[in-house]
């Protein structure tokens, strides 16, 4: 877990540097090596690492718009993921998805920029596992800002009523862009939503990766054994802005300071030292992580840009009936009533 967490943290710090290249002094979102929005997850590593440690390749994970730490913990290839973020041809989706649309069927991972959107596909994966009589599970990660979304609540209901092997993991960083949790829900502990669906709901506080590991072990074991879904909420902290370029003028200084003070990685490092790990062992893990991240970024930057014509490829798996691949005619052909 420590290795995954330091990899994810360093990855976000390096992307932060790369992203800013060429975008300043006046912030130009389309300029530089990483065009478009970028949502970094520094401070949220404990949730991903603690849950994904229990997962296998044939398990499915969906993540929201802040996906890198989850992708890393699920074993998505770092180089191809980075090439995707940099919009390169060898990226996971040929450079056409970008950082919010990472899709890796080999690792069983997908994410989406539409919040709560990962919940229904995770339920679908859970239903497929049940119908096939397999013991794989599906995990949907979402932010606390998504817990009043219909897609989330309907997914909880279907997973419960069909007794599906699905774990919903709310990453509670207390903010949905500039909106604090307390202003959009009176339920401070999002795991209480589980009560309405008669499934277990568990909350883990203090960015505690070890406690997440224990809670996830129980939930995933339960799902694998055919005993249905669990809702898990994990307290995490957003150490950076909502997206790159966010001045965070809405956020009190004390809140930023609290997020910096509650460091999930330092907390786990303390746990490891208490278990007998030496500082230099932890430093070696950090150095290896830095090396792998730097290598992935250098590799990705060397990859070719996609051919502009590739924009027309992979739009449909099969053209739906009535759609022709011939050049469109500009004459009005009339229509049927
Ligand atoms: C359905 C939908 N509504 C609104 C948005 C715009 N949006 C993007 S991120 C976000 C806030 C998400 O907050 P949260 O779920 O807590 O995740 P966090 O950013 O804190 O990780 C919103 C409203 C969206 N992407 N999808
Ligand atoms: Mg949030």
């Amino acid at each position: 877990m420590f290795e995954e967490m330091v990899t994810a943290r360093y990855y976000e710090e390096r992307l932060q540097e790369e992203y800013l290249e060429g975008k300043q002094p006046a912030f130009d979102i389309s300029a530089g090596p990483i065009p478009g929005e970028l949502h970094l997850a520094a401070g949220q590593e404990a949730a991903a690492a603690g849950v994904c440690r229990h997962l296998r390749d044939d398990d499915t994970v969906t993540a929201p718009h802040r996906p890198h730490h989850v992708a890393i913990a699920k074993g998505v290839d770092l180089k191809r993921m980075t090439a995707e973020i940099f919009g390169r041809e060898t990226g996971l989706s040929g450079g056409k998805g970008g950082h919010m649309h990472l899709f890796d069927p080999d690792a069983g991972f997908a994410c989406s920029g539409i919040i709560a959107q990962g919940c229904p596909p995770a339920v679908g994966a859970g239903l497929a596992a049940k119908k096939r009589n397999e013991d794989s599970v599906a995990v949907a990660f979402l932010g606390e800002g998504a817990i009043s979304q219909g897609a989330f609540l309907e997914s909880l209901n279907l997973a419960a009523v069909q007794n599906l092997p699905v774990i919903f993991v709310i990453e509670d960083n207390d903010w949905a862009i500039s909106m604090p949790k307390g202003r959009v829900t009176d339920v401070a502990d999002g795991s209480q939503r589980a009560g309405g669906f008669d499934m277990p709901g568990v909350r883990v506080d203090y960015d505690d990766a070890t406690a997440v590991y224990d809670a996830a072990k129980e939930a995933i074991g339960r799902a694998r054994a055919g005993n249905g879904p669990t809702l898990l909420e994990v307290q995490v902290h957003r150490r950076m802005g909502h997206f790159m370029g966010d001045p965070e003028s809405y956020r009190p200084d004390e809140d930023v300071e609290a997020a910096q003070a509650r460091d999930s990685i330092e907390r786990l490092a303390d746990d490891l030292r208490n278990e007998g790990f030496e500082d230099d062992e932890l430093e070696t893990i950090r150095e290896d992580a830095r090396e792998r991240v730097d290598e992935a970024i250098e590799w990705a930057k060397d990859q070719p840009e996609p051919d502009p014509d590739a924009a027309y490829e992979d739009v449909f798996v099969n053209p739906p009936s009535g759609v022709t691949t011939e050049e469109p005619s500009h004459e009005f052909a009339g229509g049927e009533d």
Side-chain angles (χ1 to χ4, degrees), residues 62-305:
T62 64
H65 56 288
R66 200 180 297 288
H68 305 161
H69 58 317
V70 187
I72 288 170
K74 184 62 172 73
V76 173
D77 183 80
L78 203 57
K79 287 185 174 166
R80 295 196 60 213
M81 162 172 157
T82 311
E84 185 60 39
I85 295 168
F86 281 76
R88 304 303 164 111
E89 192 179 74
T90 47
L92 290 169
S93 301
K96 292 189 277 181
H99 110 100
M100 279 187 276
H101 304 106
L102 305 170
F103 182 70
D104 185 353
D106 297 332
F109 179 85
C111 59
S112 164
I114 305 302
I115 68 165
Q117 189 281 340
C119 297
V123 171
L127 183 61
K130 185 180 169 186
K131 295 249 178 228
R132 291 177 183 145
N133 217 8
E134 294 169 354
D135 71 345
S136 57
V137 304
V139 182
F141 283 83
L142 60 143
E144 90 299 329
I147 65 167
S148 301
Q149 286 275 35
F152 169 61
L153 298 167
E154 290 171 33
S155 297
L156 286 177
N157 186 57
L158 195 58
V161 80
Q162 297 268 345
N163 201 40
L164 300 179
V166 185
I167 298 91
F168 299 90
V169 181
I170 304 165
E171 292 181 276
D172 177 13
N173 63 11
D174 202 35
W175 291 94
I177 313 183
S178 52
M179 187 63 74
K181 186 182 190 182
R183 282 191 61 198
V184 287
T185 173
D186 285 338
V187 179
D189 172 357
S191 72
Q192 284 185 14
R193 289 270 196 273
F197 304 92
D198 197 22
M199 71 169 77
V202 181
R203 173 162 164 110
V204 176
D205 283 309
Y206 309 122
D207 309 66
D208 185 342
T210 312
V212 177
Y213 178 90
D214 291 340
K217 185 177 183 185
E218 166 116 25
I220 293 167
R222 194 173 173 269
R224 265 199 221 297
N227 294 323
T230 300
L231 174 60
L232 204 62
E233 178 166 270
V234 180
Q235 184 183 35
V236 294
H237 284 84
R238 202 182 80 192
R239 296 173 72 86
M240 297 174 173
H242 170 71
F243 49 39
M244 286 295 302
D246 175 5
E248 292 195 283
S249 43
Y250 53 83
R251 195 171 176 189
D253 289 345
E254 313 81 73
D255 191 76
V256 178
E257 284 153 22
Q260 302 296 333
R262 281 270 172 78
D263 190 337
S264 59
I265 293 179
E266 290 315 316
R267 187 180 182 109
L268 184 59
D270 285 343
D271 289 352
L272 290 169
R273 282 188 208 99
N274 290 338
E275 293 291 325
F277 272 78
E278 301 291 338
D279 279 340
D280 57 347
E281 288 177 277
L282 299 180
E283 189 47 37
T284 305
I285 296 173
R286 286 182 198 266
E287 269 166 30
D288 289 349
R290 285 186 206 117
E291 221 167 88
R292 268 182 296 113
V293 168
D294 287 337
E295 197 186 318
I297 290 178
E298 287 319 309
W299 183 84
K301 284 165 78 175
D302 268 353
Q303 298 301 299
E305 304 255 350

